[in-house]
Amino acid sequence: MAAALAVRVVAGLAAAALAAVLLEHYGLAGPPSPLPQPRIPRSPHPAPGPGASNIFWGLQISDIHLSRFRDPGRAVDLEKFCSETIDIIQPALVLATGDLTDAKTKENLGSRQQEAEWQTYQGILKKTRVMEKTKWLDIKGNHDAFNIPSLESVENYYRKYSAVRRDGSFHYVHSTPFGNYSFISLDATLNPGPKRPFNFFGILDQKQMEDLLLLAKESSRSNHSIWFGHFTTSTILSPSPGIRFIMSSATAYLCGHLHTLGGLMPVLHTRHFQGTLELEVGDWMVNRRYRIFAFDHDLFSFADLIFGEWPVVLITNPKSLLYSSAKHEPLERLLHSTHISGCAISHSHQQCTRVLVFSLSSITSVAVKIDGVHLGQASHLSGPIFILKWNPRNYSNKTHNIEVIVQDSAGRSKSVHHIFSAREDIHLRFDPLASFILLTDHCTVARVLFVMIVLIQLIILITFRYRAYPEHKGPPGFVNLTSFSLHVLSKISIFYYSVLLLTLYTVLGPWFVGEITKGKLGCCFSFGIFVDGRFLQGSVTFIVGILQLVFFNIPLMVYLCWSLLQRCFGHSFRSHLHQGKYLKIIPVHLLMLLLYIWQIYSCYFLHMTYGTLALLFSPLRTWLTLVTPVLIRCVWTLNPAELGTFVVQLKSHLSS
């Protein structure tokens, strides 16, 4: 009794400790965690005021997926974006963060670099002359690296048709009269680039991490640094100390890749433990999303937008409390609101609310409300900048809500709002689910789950193999019958070794041998892929392994146990169908049949993605699909004499 109580106490404390760690890691409880480096004091001047200087803005677009076979509207709308939208917003730069092309085959299963898609992309850039209007920085996504044997391959069309035309990470400095701003690209695409689906995760090696560290050091003298890449940090494999630590000096990391999880998570934003914002933008492919961001007196603001919706409105001062960072931004410029020496007018005791507004038609009204109280109409300063004088001292306590309602001459209107505060000791929390998605190392989680499932299955098999049949007491309920069926399966060598071999092979054996990239053969294992003398460490492979275990290997073992139990009850395949218990028997067979069809489809998918050779030399897919019916037939045709001992044990248990 005392021992059981002690175990419960220890388990409770362990659970509480784990919960505390998770809450802290995902930023769900208490104030932000202490940052590894102290915040550098910044000058409160110049503060945002009625001047048009100390501000610039840019755009981000991601996951364009120009396709030769699907949705020509992607290209049509991109051309309109590069002409109409760029002409109206006039950004200082545009970040195109990967998956510029779709790179899929016509049936949408295989992957191949389609030169026509790249020619379409380059044609749009040239036709709209967008690279003459702004700095267009485009980088590769995983689709842009599909099926590329090496960076030197002619299939690497990024080198030929993109705006940057240079592989690897790079550092671009945007120079202004009021300082320099660093934009560091993060290229984590695989080299060589395997066919889908095994390049969903990005990988950085030690050399790439060292290069990125040098880029981070180069940006130390800039006012701000923004990192941009295709993959979220949660889908990048990197050696210690990790990619988040390397980019910890950045104000924000702008990325794409997750496509708002099919619309389930339209907002995927969070903050790293080190203080850097991670902001995933929705895809262009389906949702036509893009982002505007701005630095106004070194205060970073942004808004996620939908193409074709006007007016576009971005409040730059006061900035959103949720995205404020005392480590990276001079928030004192909001706190010291009585000093605006950087403005074009003399000193004043008032500061200006500042808003960027863009539309197809002229702006007729920019109304500002704080906490529901009308503050006034903002006046046009220059370009898209609208300002309204206000006194921050009136809002120095707690949090407040600012709302801006814009109307243009065509009757279009837009309302935007956010919470702000003039105090640094007040914080807001990001959506816990978004933080989980962006901060979790999904590859490590998949690896751990894969190993745990395998170990549990092996422990059960081996334990029942060498454990004597227990004397059960009480009625033969579900637990006792399950234990008995495992006992039977483990004691009959042909089934025991078949399931044991399947489990071990899933972990250790090559799943298939095939054309991993164009013209290059390789082997796929659970722990990674060998191709052309290189090793790509496992990532998606662990997820595929989990699916294989959960949706076929383990159900097959369960089905064999259930079938053996039916045999011990004295039934043959035909007789057990005539028991009259159709509602219990038929669903079991139907479920196994559906899972077997899923296994057949996986063979078809393997053939379409990696070719005929992979289909023929795939023990885990093709060979297992062929062996499964044989194994099931062995159960139902097994000599009753081999089950004699188990039948006696079962009758003894049923009669007790």
Side-chain angles (χ1 to χ4, degrees), residues 292-305:
I292 182 172
F293 61 89
F295 280 102
D296 187 358
H297 292 76
D298 282 343
L299 297 174
F300 175 74
S301 301
F302 75 96
D304 289 344
L305 310 167

Side-chain angles (χ1 to χ4, degrees), residues 163-212:
V164 174
R165 299 189 180 186
R166 186 180 70 186
D167 294 302
S169 303
F170 61 86
H171 179 196
Y172 170 73
V173 179
H174 178 65
S175 298
T176 71
F178 45 90
N180 293 331
Y181 295 81
S182 291
F183 290 84
I184 298 176
S185 80
L186 171 58
D187 183 3
T189 54
L190 275 60
N191 177 33
K195 301 175 184 178
R196 65 191 301 259
F198 294 116
N199 70 349
F200 182 80
F201 284 78
I203 298 178
L204 295 171
D205 58 28
Q206 191 61 47
K207 176 63 168 57
Q208 290 172 305
M209 291 287 283
E210 293 170 359
D211 292 342
L212 288 168

Side-chain angles (χ1 to χ4, degrees), residues 236-540:
I236 296 177
L237 282 69
S238 59
S240 180
I243 187 57
R244 293 191 186 107
F245 180 85
I246 298 294
M247 66 169 64
S248 60
S249 61
T251 302
Y253 173 59
L254 310 181
C255 58
H257 190 44
L258 296 185
H259 294 242
T260 67
L261 294 183
L264 297 176
M265 292 296 296
V267 178
L268 277 173
H269 304 155
T270 193
R271 189 189 306 279
H272 296 171
F273 180 80
Q274 295 86 354
T276 301
L277 292 169
E278 180 162 347
L279 310 171
E280 196 257 5
V281 68
D283 61 283
W284 179 269
M285 182 179 79
V286 174
N287 296 297
R288 299 297 192 273
R289 297 290 186 92
Y290 70 102
R291 170 178 291 151
I292 182 172
F293 61 89
F295 280 102
D296 187 358
H297 292 76
D298 282 343
L299 297 174
F300 175 74
S301 301
F302 75 96
D304 289 344
L305 310 167
I306 298 177
F307 171 72
E309 291 189 0
W310 301 95
V312 168
V313 184
L314 175 61
I315 304 170
T316 63
N317 186 65
K319 72 163 292 179
S320 170
L321 174 60
L322 181 62
Y323 301 101
S324 297
S325 174
K327 178 187 176 185
H328 297 104
E329 298 176 289
L331 298 180
E332 296 86 350
R333 294 182 182 181
L334 174 61
L335 301 174
H336 294 77
S337 57
T338 59
H339 305 286
I340 47 174
S341 57
C343 297
I345 61 172
S346 60
H347 292 272
S348 169
H349 288 285
Q350 288 184 312
Q351 192 183 16
C352 290
T353 298
R354 293 163 64 91
V355 187
L356 294 176
V357 182
F358 310 86
S359 189
L360 295 171
S361 307
S362 59
I363 303 301
T364 58
S365 172
V366 180
V368 180
K369 295 181 180 180
I370 295 183
D371 296 334
V373 178
H374 183 71
L375 197 63
Q377 288 285 336
S379 58
H380 182 233
L381 179 60
S382 67
I385 305 174
F386 286 76
I387 60 173
L388 177 67
K389 290 183 177 181
W390 73 313
N391 190 344
R393 291 182 175 179
N394 295 336
Y395 309 98
S396 59
N397 64 324
K398 299 183 179 180
T399 60
H400 304 274
N401 184 74
I402 182 170
E403 181 182 11
V404 175
I405 303 100
V406 175
Q407 291 185 331
D408 65 15
S409 58
R412 291 180 289 258
S413 64
K414 181 70 173 291
S415 173
V416 299
H417 63 90
H418 66 234
I419 295 173
F420 73 93
S421 177
R423 295 172 55 180
E424 289 190 46
D425 59 345
I426 298 178
H427 308 279
L428 297 179
R429 295 291 164 187
F430 287 90
D431 178 5
L433 183 55
S435 294
F436 173 79
I437 293 169
L438 294 177
L439 295 179
T440 299
D441 184 346
H442 296 295
C443 182
T444 298
V445 171
R447 185 184 293 116
V448 170
L449 284 176
F450 178 73
V451 172
M452 285 180 61
I453 293 171
V454 168
L455 287 178
I456 290 172
Q457 189 179 10
L458 289 176
I459 289 171
I460 290 173
L461 273 173
I462 296 172
T463 299
F464 277 92
R465 174 71 173 183
Y466 296 102
R467 179 189 177 194
Y469 177 69
E471 292 296 333
H472 294 292
K473 296 181 180 180
F478 174 79
V479 174
N480 288 343
L481 291 178
T482 300
S483 174
F484 177 79
S485 65
L486 285 168
H487 168 73
V488 176
L489 179 133
S490 300
K491 292 296 192 297
I492 300 177
S493 294
I494 184 175
F495 303 121
Y496 169 75
Y497 286 113
S498 296
V499 175
L500 182 66
L501 178 62
L502 174 58
T503 304
L504 293 176
Y505 193 88
T506 303
V507 179
L508 303 174
W511 292 354
F512 67 87
V513 176
E515 191 182 68
I516 303 298
T517 64
K518 186 174 182 179
K520 302 293 183 181
L521 295 180
C523 296
C524 178
F525 295 80
S526 65
F527 48 84
I529 297 174
F530 291 93
V531 55
D532 197 25
R534 301 193 62 176
F535 175 69
L536 303 175
Q537 60 179 304
S539 51
V540 174

